[in-house]
């Protein structure tokens, strides 16, 4: 057989030859479960557009379309709010002594004056990143609140106004 038919017959003959044996795949090891592990207790819960702190009674309004991620109950951070695009993040912490030192930016501006947002008197601050493409950190510290309140917003380039508007809404409604 020569030509096309010979080629086709040879292909069929090759296809009928036994192939290489497949290597045996070892069974997956059983999942390790730490008998002492328990899921973390969260700081609060979300209901009808609000984050409600179970330990301190703090109520945080969640901007329209944003999601709330409660922290562990033992953490100073109580909740992190994330915008719909996942670009802007806002952290609400209690018991802080003011804006915390950061390795990725320098607190270039810390106002000593108090500004009123709802029931809070806050001091604004701005942490300027060393890398121009990194987020700018905006902070509002309420030293007279009991416990003290710190709201920090991470604003990537192009999102500064969105971060400020969302923070103003959160600060105005925080109880």
């Amino acid at each position: 057989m020569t030509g096309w038919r010979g080629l086709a017959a040879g292909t069929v003959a090759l296809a009928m030859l036994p192939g290489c044996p497949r290597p045996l795949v070892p069974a997956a090891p059983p999942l390790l479960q730490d008998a002492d592990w328990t899921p973390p207790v969260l700081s609060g819960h979300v209901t009808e557009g609000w984050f409600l702190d179970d330990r301190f009674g703090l109520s945080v309004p969640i901007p329209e379309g944003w999601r709330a991620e409660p922290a562990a109950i033992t953490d100073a951070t109580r909740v992190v709010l994330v915008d719909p695009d996942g670009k802007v993040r806002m952290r609400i912490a209690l018991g802080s002594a003011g804006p915390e030192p950061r390795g990725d930016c320098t607190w270039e501006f810390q106002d000593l004056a108090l500004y009123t947002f709802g029931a809070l008197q806050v001091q604004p601050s701005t942490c300027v990143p060393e890398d121009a493409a990194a987020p700018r950190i905006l902070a509002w510290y309420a030293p007279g609140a009991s416990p003290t309140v710190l709201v920090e917003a991470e604003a990537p380039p192009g999102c500064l106004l969105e971060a400020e508007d969302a923070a103003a809404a959160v600060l105005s409604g925080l109880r």
Side-chain angles (χ1 to χ4, degrees):
M1 289 196 232
T2 59
W4 193 122
R5 288 186 186 172
L7 182 60
T11 303
V12 170
L14 283 176
M16 293 173 41
L17 290 175
C20 296
R22 291 187 182 182
L24 295 177
V25 178
L31 294 177
L32 297 177
Q33 291 185 347
D34 185 352
D36 296 335
W37 183 84
T38 57
V41 176
L42 299 179
S43 60
H45 60 282
V46 175
T47 182
E48 298 179 11
W50 288 82
F51 165 76
L52 305 174
D53 190 292
D54 293 336
R55 183 173 178 195
F56 294 101
L58 178 73
S59 298
V60 180
I62 302 169
E64 182 80 26
W66 287 50
R67 74 177 186 273
E69 300 173 353
I73 197 159
T74 56
D75 198 336
T77 297
R78 307 313 291 166
V79 66
V80 174
L81 305 175
V82 182
D83 82 326
D85 296 328
K87 293 179 183 177
V88 178
R89 298 171 52 86
M90 197 176 330
R91 179 178 79 97
I92 292 85
L94 297 180
S96 175
E100 299 163 359
R102 300 176 61 102
D104 57 346
C105 64
T106 305
W107 290 103
E108 298 281 333
F109 172 77
Q110 291 185 340
D111 202 332
L112 298 177
L114 292 172
Y115 299 87
T116 302
F117 283 91
L120 291 178
Q121 296 275 312
V122 298
Q123 295 173 311
S125 301
T126 304
C127 199
V128 179
E130 295 170 15
D131 177 1
R136 181 174 298 252
I137 308 299
L138 308 174
W140 296 265
Y141 173 60
S146 180
T148 59
V149 176
L150 177 66
V151 175
E152 283 186 350
E154 289 182 15
C159 298
L160 189 60
L161 292 178
E162 179 185 349
E164 287 179 334
D165 288 347
V170 167
L171 287 164
S172 294
L174 202 73
R175 309 188 284 247

